[in-house]
Amino acid sequence: MINTFEFLTSFLPYFFLLNHLKKKGMLYISNPLFYLLVTFGVYIAGMLHFTDPSTIFDILDFTSADLNLNFVPFSTGISKIGYVLNVVLFVPFGVLIPLLFKEKHPFLETMGCGFLGSLFIEFSQLFNERVSDVDDLIMNTFGVFIGWLIYFVFFKKIGSYKLPLRWLFLFIFVLNIGRFFLFYWY
């Protein structure tokens, strides 16, 4: 079950940012777009809970003996359920990115953002005694691909809101920064 405090450390700064951007006219946010951006924020906050990236407290407690890496694809005996869960976790990312952020090459940009997001999570897990595994990177990126296919088949005719991709990086940064500095699970 997601911890309420953990959720709030991620979501509240993001929610305040959205309201600020809307009030100041820096970004036109219609009501449907606002609700879609709130859905995106809830999804990212949930993903942060399940993937458990490091916080400042993990980094302060880190020792090099805690490193646990796997660079060889499919060499560890992770269960099929683990692979499926990694794929499923990133499918919404593959749908939401092209719905919200339309650029010149939506497939390449969606896959690139998904890969970088997964890489960030795996890198961050180096500092909190979790395994940083290339299998997770592959499966998460495959999940983004499946999500993009779902978008392409079912939602492409709807179009997208055409927000500049730079907003995506700001939104994800804000969703991460509160959790990084404020959440201490002990």
Coordinates of all heavy atoms in Angstrom, one line a residue, residues 1-79:
M1 N 0.8 -1.2 0.0 CA 0.0 0.0 0.0 C 0.9 1.2 0.0 O 1.9 1.3 0.7 CB -0.9 0.0 1.2 CG -1.9 1.0 1.3 SD -3.0 0.8 -0.1 CE -4.6 0.6 0.6
I2 N 0.5 2.2 -0.8 CA 1.4 3.4 -0.9 C 1.2 4.2 0.4 O 0.1 4.4 0.9 CB 1.0 4.2 -2.2 CG1 2.0 5.3 -2.4 CG2 -0.4 4.8 -2.1 CD1 1.9 6.0 -3.7
N3 N 2.3 4.7 0.9 CA 2.3 5.5 2.1 C 1.8 6.9 1.7 O 2.3 7.5 0.7 CB 3.8 5.6 2.5 CG 4.0 6.4 3.7 OD1 3.5 7.5 3.9 ND2 4.9 5.9 4.6
T4 N 0.9 7.4 2.5 CA 0.3 8.7 2.2 C 1.4 9.8 2.2 O 1.4 10.7 1.3 CB -0.8 9.1 3.2 OG1 -1.8 8.0 3.2 CG2 -1.5 10.4 2.9
F5 N 2.3 9.8 3.2 CA 3.3 10.8 3.3 C 4.2 10.8 2.1 O 4.6 11.8 1.5 CB 4.1 10.7 4.6 CG 5.2 11.7 4.7 CD1 5.0 13.0 4.8 CD2 6.5 11.2 4.6 CE1 6.0 13.9 4.9 CE2 7.6 12.2 4.7 CZ 7.3 13.5 4.8
E6 N 4.5 9.5 1.6 CA 5.4 9.4 0.5 C 4.7 9.9 -0.8 O 5.3 10.7 -1.6 CB 5.7 7.9 0.2 CG 6.5 7.6 -1.0 CD 6.7 6.1 -1.3 OE1 6.0 5.3 -0.7 OE2 7.5 5.8 -2.1
F7 N 3.4 9.7 -0.9 CA 2.6 10.2 -2.1 C 2.6 11.7 -2.0 O 2.9 12.4 -3.0 CB 1.2 9.6 -2.0 CG 0.3 10.2 -3.1 CD1 0.5 9.8 -4.4 CD2 -0.6 11.2 -2.8 CE1 -0.3 10.4 -5.4 CE2 -1.3 11.8 -3.8 CZ -1.2 11.4 -5.1
L8 N 2.4 12.3 -0.9 CA 2.3 13.7 -0.8 C 3.6 14.4 -1.0 O 3.6 15.5 -1.6 CB 1.7 14.1 0.6 CG 0.3 13.8 0.9 CD1 -0.1 14.1 2.3 CD2 -0.7 14.4 -0.1
T9 N 4.7 13.8 -0.6 CA 6.0 14.4 -0.9 C 6.3 14.5 -2.4 O 7.0 15.4 -2.8 CB 7.2 13.7 -0.2 OG1 7.2 12.3 -0.7 CG2 7.1 13.7 1.3
S10 N 5.7 13.6 -3.2 CA 5.9 13.6 -4.6 C 4.8 14.5 -5.3 O 5.1 15.4 -6.1 CB 5.7 12.3 -5.2 OG 6.8 11.4 -4.9
F11 N 3.6 14.3 -4.9 CA 2.5 14.9 -5.6 C 2.2 16.4 -5.3 O 1.9 17.2 -6.2 CB 1.2 14.1 -5.4 CG 0.1 14.5 -6.3 CD1 0.1 14.2 -7.7 CD2 -0.9 15.3 -5.9 CE1 -0.9 14.6 -8.5 CE2 -2.0 15.7 -6.7 CZ -1.9 15.3 -8.1
L12 N 2.3 16.8 -4.0 CA 2.0 18.2 -3.7 C 2.8 19.2 -4.4 O 2.3 20.2 -4.9 CB 2.0 18.4 -2.1 CG 0.8 17.9 -1.4 CD1 1.0 18.2 0.1 CD2 -0.5 18.5 -1.9
P13 N 4.2 19.1 -4.4 CA 4.9 20.1 -5.2 C 4.5 20.2 -6.7 O 4.4 21.2 -7.3 CB 6.4 19.6 -5.1 CG 6.4 18.8 -3.9 CD 5.1 18.1 -3.8
Y14 N 4.2 19.0 -7.2 CA 3.7 18.9 -8.6 C 2.4 19.6 -8.8 O 2.2 20.4 -9.7 CB 3.7 17.5 -9.1 CG 3.1 17.2 -10.4 CD1 3.7 17.5 -11.6 CD2 1.8 16.7 -10.5 CE1 3.2 17.3 -12.8 CE2 1.2 16.4 -11.7 CZ 1.9 16.7 -12.9 OH 1.4 16.5 -14.1
F15 N 1.5 19.4 -7.9 CA 0.1 20.0 -7.9 C 0.2 21.5 -7.8 O -0.4 22.2 -8.5 CB -0.7 19.4 -6.8 CG -2.2 19.8 -6.9 CD1 -3.0 19.3 -7.9 CD2 -2.7 20.7 -6.0 CE1 -4.3 19.7 -8.0 CE2 -4.0 21.1 -6.1 CZ -4.8 20.6 -7.1
F16 N 1.1 22.0 -6.9 CA 1.3 23.4 -6.7 C 1.9 24.0 -8.0 O 1.5 25.1 -8.4 CB 2.1 23.7 -5.5 CG 1.4 23.5 -4.2 CD1 2.1 22.8 -3.2 CD2 0.1 23.8 -4.0 CE1 1.4 22.6 -2.0 CE2 -0.6 23.6 -2.8 CZ 0.1 23.0 -1.8
L17 N 2.8 23.3 -8.6 CA 3.4 23.8 -9.9 C 2.4 23.9 -11.0 O 2.3 24.9 -11.6 CB 4.5 22.9 -10.3 CG 5.1 23.2 -11.7 CD1 5.9 24.5 -11.7 CD2 6.0 22.1 -12.2
L18 N 1.5 22.9 -11.1 CA 0.4 23.0 -12.1 C -0.5 24.2 -11.9 O -0.8 24.9 -12.8 CB -0.4 21.7 -12.1 CG 0.3 20.5 -12.7 CD1 -0.7 19.3 -12.7 CD2 0.8 20.7 -14.1
N19 N -0.9 24.4 -10.6 CA -1.8 25.5 -10.3 C -1.1 26.8 -10.6 O -1.7 27.8 -11.1 CB -2.2 25.4 -8.9 CG -3.4 24.5 -8.7 OD1 -4.3 24.4 -9.6 ND2 -3.4 23.7 -7.6
H20 N 0.2 26.9 -10.2 CA 1.0 28.1 -10.5 C 1.1 28.4 -12.0 O 0.9 29.6 -12.4 CB 2.4 28.0 -9.9 CG 3.3 29.2 -10.1 ND1 3.1 30.4 -9.5 CD2 4.3 29.3 -11.0 CE1 4.0 31.2 -10.0 NE2 4.8 30.6 -10.9
L21 N 1.4 27.4 -12.8 CA 1.5 27.6 -14.2 C 0.2 28.0 -14.8 O 0.1 28.9 -15.7 CB 2.0 26.3 -14.9 CG 3.5 25.9 -14.6 CD1 3.8 24.6 -15.2 CD2 4.4 27.0 -15.1
K22 N -0.9 27.5 -14.3 CA -2.2 27.8 -14.8 C -2.6 29.2 -14.4 O -3.1 30.0 -15.3 CB -3.2 26.8 -14.3 CG -4.6 26.9 -14.9 CD -5.5 25.8 -14.4 CE -6.8 25.9 -15.1 NZ -7.7 24.8 -14.8
K23 N -2.4 29.6 -13.2 CA -2.8 31.0 -12.7 C -1.9 32.1 -13.4 O -2.4 33.1 -13.7 CB -2.6 31.1 -11.2 CG -3.7 30.3 -10.5 CD -3.5 30.5 -9.0 CE -4.6 29.7 -8.3 NZ -4.4 29.6 -6.8
K24 N -0.7 31.8 -13.6 CA 0.2 32.8 -14.2 C 0.1 32.9 -15.7 O 0.8 33.7 -16.3 CB 1.7 32.6 -13.8 CG 1.9 32.7 -12.3 CD 1.8 34.2 -11.9 CE 2.1 34.3 -10.4 NZ 1.9 35.7 -9.9
G25 N -0.6 31.9 -16.3 CA -0.7 31.9 -17.7 C 0.6 31.5 -18.5 O 0.7 31.7 -19.7
M26 N 1.5 30.8 -17.7 CA 2.7 30.4 -18.4 C 2.5 29.2 -19.2 O 3.3 28.9 -20.1 CB 3.7 30.1 -17.3 CG 4.1 31.3 -16.4 SD 5.1 30.8 -15.0 CE 6.6 30.4 -15.8
L27 N 1.4 28.5 -18.9 CA 1.0 27.3 -19.7 C -0.5 27.2 -19.7 O -1.1 27.2 -18.6 CB 1.6 26.0 -19.0 CG 1.4 24.7 -19.7 CD1 2.0 24.6 -21.1 CD2 1.9 23.6 -18.8
Y28 N -1.1 27.2 -20.9 CA -2.5 27.1 -21.0 C -2.9 25.7 -20.6 O -2.5 24.7 -21.3 CB -3.0 27.5 -22.4 CG -4.5 27.2 -22.5 CD1 -5.4 28.0 -21.8 CD2 -5.0 26.1 -23.2 CE1 -6.8 27.8 -21.8 CE2 -6.4 25.9 -23.2 CZ -7.2 26.7 -22.6 OH -8.6 26.5 -22.6
I29 N -3.7 25.5 -19.6 CA -4.1 24.2 -19.1 C -5.6 24.2 -19.1 O -6.2 24.8 -18.2 CB -3.5 23.8 -17.8 CG1 -2.0 23.9 -17.8 CG2 -3.9 22.4 -17.3 CD1 -1.3 23.7 -16.5
S30 N -6.2 23.5 -20.0 CA -7.7 23.4 -20.0 C -8.1 22.4 -18.9 O -7.2 21.6 -18.4 CB -8.2 22.9 -21.4 OG -7.7 21.6 -21.7
N31 N -9.3 22.3 -18.6 CA -9.7 21.3 -17.6 C -9.4 19.9 -17.9 O -8.9 19.1 -17.1 CB -11.2 21.5 -17.2 CG -11.5 22.7 -16.3 OD1 -10.5 23.2 -15.7 ND2 -12.7 23.2 -16.3
P32 N -9.7 19.4 -19.2 CA -9.4 18.0 -19.5 C -7.8 17.8 -19.4 O -7.4 16.8 -18.9 CB -9.9 17.8 -20.9 CG -10.9 18.9 -21.1 CD -10.5 20.0 -20.3
L33 N -7.1 18.8 -19.9 CA -5.6 18.6 -19.8 C -5.2 18.6 -18.3 O -4.3 17.8 -17.9 CB -4.9 19.8 -20.5 CG -3.4 19.8 -20.4 CD1 -2.7 18.5 -20.9 CD2 -2.8 21.0 -21.2
F34 N -5.8 19.5 -17.5 CA -5.4 19.5 -16.1 C -5.6 18.1 -15.4 O -4.8 17.6 -14.7 CB -6.2 20.6 -15.4 CG -5.9 20.7 -13.9 CD1 -4.7 21.4 -13.5 CD2 -6.7 20.1 -12.9 CE1 -4.4 21.5 -12.2 CE2 -6.4 20.3 -11.6 CZ -5.2 20.9 -11.2
Y35 N -6.8 17.5 -15.7 CA -7.1 16.2 -15.2 C -6.1 15.1 -15.7 O -5.8 14.2 -15.0 CB -8.5 15.8 -15.4 CG -9.5 16.7 -14.6 CD1 -10.5 17.4 -15.3 CD2 -9.4 16.9 -13.3 CE1 -11.3 18.2 -14.6 CE2 -10.2 17.7 -12.6 CZ -11.2 18.4 -13.2 OH -12.0 19.2 -12.6
L36 N -5.8 15.2 -16.9 CA -4.8 14.3 -17.5 C -3.4 14.5 -16.9 O -2.7 13.5 -16.6 CB -4.7 14.5 -19.0 CG -4.0 13.4 -19.8 CD1 -4.6 12.0 -19.6 CD2 -4.1 13.7 -21.3
L37 N -3.0 15.7 -16.6 CA -1.8 16.0 -15.9 C -1.8 15.5 -14.5 O -0.8 15.0 -14.0 CB -1.4 17.5 -16.0 CG -0.9 18.0 -17.4 CD1 -0.9 19.5 -17.4 CD2 0.4 17.4 -17.8
V38 N -2.9 15.6 -13.8 CA -3.1 15.1 -12.5 C -3.0 13.6 -12.5 O -2.3 13.0 -11.7 CB -4.4 15.5 -11.8 CG1 -4.7 14.7 -10.6 CG2 -4.4 17.0 -11.5
T39 N -3.6 12.9 -13.5 CA -3.4 11.5 -13.7 C -2.0 11.1 -13.9 O -1.5 10.1 -13.3 CB -4.3 11.0 -14.9 OG1 -5.7 11.3 -14.6 CG2 -4.2 9.5 -15.1
F40 N -1.3 11.9 -14.7 CA 0.1 11.6 -14.9 C 0.9 11.7 -13.6 O 1.8 10.9 -13.3 CB 0.6 12.6 -16.0 CG 2.1 12.6 -16.2 CD1 2.7 11.5 -17.0 CD2 3.0 13.5 -15.7 CE1 4.0 11.5 -17.2 CE2 4.4 13.4 -16.0 CZ 4.9 12.4 -16.7
G41 N 0.6 12.8 -12.8 CA 1.3 12.9 -11.6 C 1.0 11.8 -10.6 O 2.0 11.3 -9.9
V42 N -0.2 11.4 -10.5 CA -0.5 10.2 -9.6 C 0.2 9.0 -10.1 O 0.7 8.2 -9.3 CB -2.1 10.0 -9.6 CG1 -2.4 8.7 -8.9 CG2 -2.7 11.2 -8.9
Y43 N 0.2 8.8 -11.4 CA 0.9 7.6 -12.0 C 2.4 7.6 -11.6 O 3.0 6.7 -11.2 CB 0.7 7.5 -13.5 CG 1.7 6.6 -14.2 CD1 1.7 5.2 -14.0 CD2 2.7 7.1 -15.0 CE1 2.6 4.4 -14.6 CE2 3.7 6.3 -15.5 CZ 3.6 5.0 -15.4 OH 4.5 4.1 -15.9
I44 N 3.1 8.8 -11.8 CA 4.5 8.9 -11.6 C 4.8 8.7 -10.1 O 5.7 8.0 -9.7 CB 5.1 10.2 -12.1 CG1 5.0 10.3 -13.6 CG2 6.5 10.4 -11.6 CD1 5.9 9.3 -14.3
A45 N 3.9 9.3 -9.2 CA 4.1 9.1 -7.8 C 3.9 7.6 -7.4 O 4.7 7.1 -6.6 CB 3.1 10.0 -7.0
G46 N 3.0 6.9 -8.0 CA 2.8 5.5 -7.8 C 4.0 4.7 -8.3 O 4.5 3.8 -7.6
M47 N 4.5 5.1 -9.4 CA 5.7 4.4 -10.0 C 6.9 4.6 -9.1 O 7.7 3.7 -8.8 CB 6.0 4.9 -11.4 CG 7.2 4.2 -12.0 SD 7.7 4.5 -13.7 CE 7.1 6.1 -14.1
L48 N 7.1 5.8 -8.5 CA 8.2 6.0 -7.6 C 8.0 5.1 -6.3 O 9.0 4.7 -5.8 CB 8.2 7.5 -7.2 CG 8.6 8.5 -8.3 CD1 8.4 9.9 -7.8 CD2 10.0 8.2 -8.8
H49 N 6.8 4.9 -5.9 CA 6.6 4.0 -4.8 C 7.0 2.6 -5.1 O 7.8 2.0 -4.3 CB 5.1 4.1 -4.3 CG 4.8 3.0 -3.3 ND1 5.2 3.1 -2.0 CD2 4.1 1.8 -3.5 CE1 4.8 2.0 -1.4 NE2 4.1 1.2 -2.2
F50 N 6.6 2.1 -6.2 CA 6.9 0.7 -6.6 C 8.4 0.5 -6.9 O 8.9 -0.6 -6.7 CB 6.0 0.2 -7.7 CG 4.6 0.0 -7.2 CD1 3.5 0.8 -7.6 CD2 4.3 -1.0 -6.2 CE1 2.2 0.7 -7.1 CE2 3.0 -1.1 -5.8 CZ 2.0 -0.3 -6.2
T51 N 9.0 1.5 -7.6 CA 10.4 1.3 -8.0 C 11.4 1.7 -6.9 O 12.5 1.3 -6.9 CB 10.7 2.1 -9.3 OG1 10.4 3.5 -9.0 CG2 9.9 1.5 -10.4
D52 N 10.9 2.5 -5.9 CA 11.7 2.9 -4.8 C 13.1 3.4 -5.1 O 14.1 2.9 -4.7 CB 11.9 1.6 -3.8 CG 12.4 2.1 -2.5 OD1 12.2 3.2 -2.0 OD2 13.0 1.2 -1.8
P53 N 13.1 4.5 -5.9 CA 14.4 5.2 -6.1 C 15.0 5.8 -4.8 O 14.2 6.0 -3.9 CB 14.1 6.3 -7.1 CG 12.7 6.5 -7.0 CD 12.0 5.3 -6.5
S54 N 16.2 6.0 -4.8 CA 16.9 6.5 -3.6 C 16.4 7.9 -3.2 O 16.0 8.7 -4.0 CB 18.4 6.6 -3.9 OG 18.9 5.3 -4.2
T55 N 16.6 8.1 -1.9 CA 16.4 9.5 -1.4 C 17.7 10.0 -0.9 O 18.7 9.3 -0.8 CB 15.3 9.4 -0.2 OG1 15.9 8.7 0.9 CG2 14.0 8.8 -0.6
I56 N 17.7 11.2 -0.4 CA 18.9 11.8 0.1 C 19.4 11.0 1.3 O 20.6 10.8 1.6 CB 18.7 13.3 0.5 CG1 20.0 14.0 0.9 CG2 17.7 13.5 1.6 CD1 20.9 14.3 -0.3
F57 N 18.5 10.4 2.1 CA 18.8 9.6 3.3 C 19.5 8.3 2.9 O 20.4 7.9 3.6 CB 17.6 9.4 4.1 CG 16.9 10.6 4.5 CD1 15.7 11.0 3.8 CD2 17.4 11.5 5.4 CE1 15.0 12.2 4.1 CE2 16.7 12.7 5.7 CZ 15.6 13.0 5.1
D58 N 19.1 7.7 1.8 CA 19.8 6.5 1.3 C 21.2 6.8 0.9 O 22.1 6.1 1.1 CB 19.0 5.9 0.1 CG 17.6 5.4 0.4 OD1 17.5 4.8 1.5 OD2 16.7 5.6 -0.4
I59 N 21.4 8.0 0.2 CA 22.7 8.3 -0.3 C 23.6 8.6 0.9 O 24.8 8.2 0.9 CB 22.6 9.5 -1.2 CG1 21.9 9.1 -2.5 CG2 24.0 10.1 -1.5 CD1 21.6 10.2 -3.5
L60 N 23.1 9.3 1.9 CA 23.9 9.6 3.1 C 24.3 8.3 3.9 O 25.4 8.2 4.5 CB 23.2 10.5 4.1 CG 22.9 11.9 3.5 CD1 22.0 12.7 4.5 CD2 24.2 12.6 3.3
D61 N 23.5 7.2 3.8 CA 23.8 6.0 4.5 C 24.6 5.0 3.6 O 24.9 3.9 4.0 CB 22.5 5.3 4.9 CG 21.9 6.0 6.1 OD1 22.5 6.8 6.8 OD2 20.6 5.8 6.3
F62 N 24.9 5.4 2.3 CA 25.4 4.4 1.3 C 26.9 4.1 1.6 O 27.7 5.0 2.0 CB 25.3 5.1 -0.1 CG 25.9 4.3 -1.1 CD1 25.3 3.1 -1.6 CD2 27.1 4.7 -1.7 CE1 25.9 2.4 -2.6 CE2 27.7 4.0 -2.7 CZ 27.1 2.8 -3.2
T63 N 27.2 2.8 1.4 CA 28.6 2.4 1.4 C 28.8 1.6 0.1 O 27.9 1.0 -0.4 CB 29.0 1.5 2.6 OG1 28.2 0.4 2.6 CG2 28.7 2.3 3.9
S64 N 30.0 1.6 -0.4 CA 30.3 0.8 -1.6 C 30.0 -0.6 -1.5 O 29.8 -1.3 -2.5 CB 31.7 1.1 -2.1 OG 32.6 0.6 -1.2
A65 N 30.0 -1.2 -0.3 CA 29.7 -2.6 -0.1 C 28.2 -2.9 -0.4 O 27.8 -4.1 -0.6 CB 29.9 -3.0 1.3
D66 N 27.4 -1.9 -0.5 CA 26.0 -2.1 -0.8 C 25.7 -2.2 -2.3 O 24.5 -2.5 -2.7 CB 25.1 -0.8 -0.3 CG 25.2 -0.7 1.2 OD1 25.4 -1.7 1.9 OD2 25.1 0.4 1.7
L67 N 26.6 -2.0 -3.2 CA 26.4 -2.1 -4.6 C 25.9 -3.5 -5.0 O 26.5 -4.5 -4.6 CB 27.6 -1.8 -5.4 CG 28.0 -0.3 -5.5 CD1 29.3 -0.1 -6.3 CD2 26.9 0.5 -6.2
N68 N 24.9 -3.5 -5.8 CA 24.3 -4.8 -6.3 C 23.9 -4.6 -7.8 O 22.9 -4.0 -8.0 CB 23.2 -5.2 -5.4 CG 22.8 -6.7 -5.6 OD1 23.4 -7.4 -6.5 ND2 21.9 -7.2 -4.8
L69 N 24.8 -5.0 -8.7 CA 24.6 -4.7 -10.1 C 24.4 -6.0 -10.9 O 25.1 -7.0 -10.6 CB 25.8 -3.9 -10.7 CG 26.0 -2.6 -10.1 CD1 27.4 -2.1 -10.4 CD2 25.0 -1.6 -10.6
N70 N 23.7 -5.9 -12.0 CA 23.6 -7.0 -13.0 C 23.6 -6.4 -14.4 O 22.7 -5.7 -14.8 CB 22.4 -7.9 -12.8 CG 22.3 -8.9 -13.9 OD1 23.3 -9.4 -14.4 ND2 21.0 -9.3 -14.2
F71 N 24.7 -6.6 -15.1 CA 24.9 -6.0 -16.4 C 24.6 -7.0 -17.5 O 24.6 -6.7 -18.7 CB 26.3 -5.5 -16.7 CG 26.6 -4.2 -15.9 CD1 27.6 -4.2 -14.9 CD2 25.8 -3.1 -16.1 CE1 27.8 -3.0 -14.2 CE2 26.1 -1.9 -15.4 CZ 27.1 -1.9 -14.5
V72 N 24.4 -8.3 -17.1 CA 24.2 -9.4 -18.1 C 22.7 -9.6 -18.3 O 22.1 -10.1 -17.3 CB 25.0 -10.7 -17.7 CG1 24.8 -11.7 -18.7 CG2 26.4 -10.4 -17.4
P73 N 22.2 -9.4 -19.5 CA 20.7 -9.5 -19.7 C 20.3 -11.0 -19.4 O 20.9 -11.9 -19.9 CB 20.5 -9.1 -21.1 CG 21.7 -8.3 -21.5 CD 22.8 -8.9 -20.7
F74 N 19.2 -11.1 -18.7 CA 18.5 -12.3 -18.5 C 19.4 -13.4 -17.9 O 19.2 -14.6 -18.1 CB 17.8 -12.8 -19.7 CG 16.9 -11.8 -20.4 CD1 17.3 -11.1 -21.6 CD2 15.8 -11.3 -19.8 CE1 16.6 -10.1 -22.1 CE2 15.0 -10.3 -20.3 CZ 15.4 -9.7 -21.5
S75 N 20.3 -13.0 -17.0 CA 21.2 -14.0 -16.4 C 20.8 -14.4 -15.0 O 21.2 -15.4 -14.5 CB 22.6 -13.5 -16.4 OG 22.7 -12.3 -15.6
T76 N 20.0 -13.6 -14.4 CA 19.5 -13.9 -13.0 C 18.2 -14.6 -13.1 O 17.5 -14.4 -14.1 CB 19.4 -12.6 -12.2 OG1 18.5 -11.8 -12.8 CG2 20.7 -11.9 -12.0
G77 N 17.9 -15.3 -12.1 CA 16.6 -16.1 -12.2 C 15.4 -15.3 -11.7 O 14.7 -15.8 -10.9
I78 N 15.2 -14.2 -12.3 CA 14.0 -13.4 -11.9 C 12.8 -14.1 -12.4 O 12.8 -14.7 -13.6 CB 14.1 -12.0 -12.5 CG1 15.2 -11.2 -11.8 CG2 12.8 -11.2 -12.2 CD1 15.4 -9.8 -12.3
S79 N 11.7 -14.1 -11.7 CA 10.5 -14.8 -12.1 C 9.9 -14.1 -13.3 O 10.0 -13.0 -13.5 CB 9.5 -14.9 -10.9 OG 9.0 -13.6 -10.6

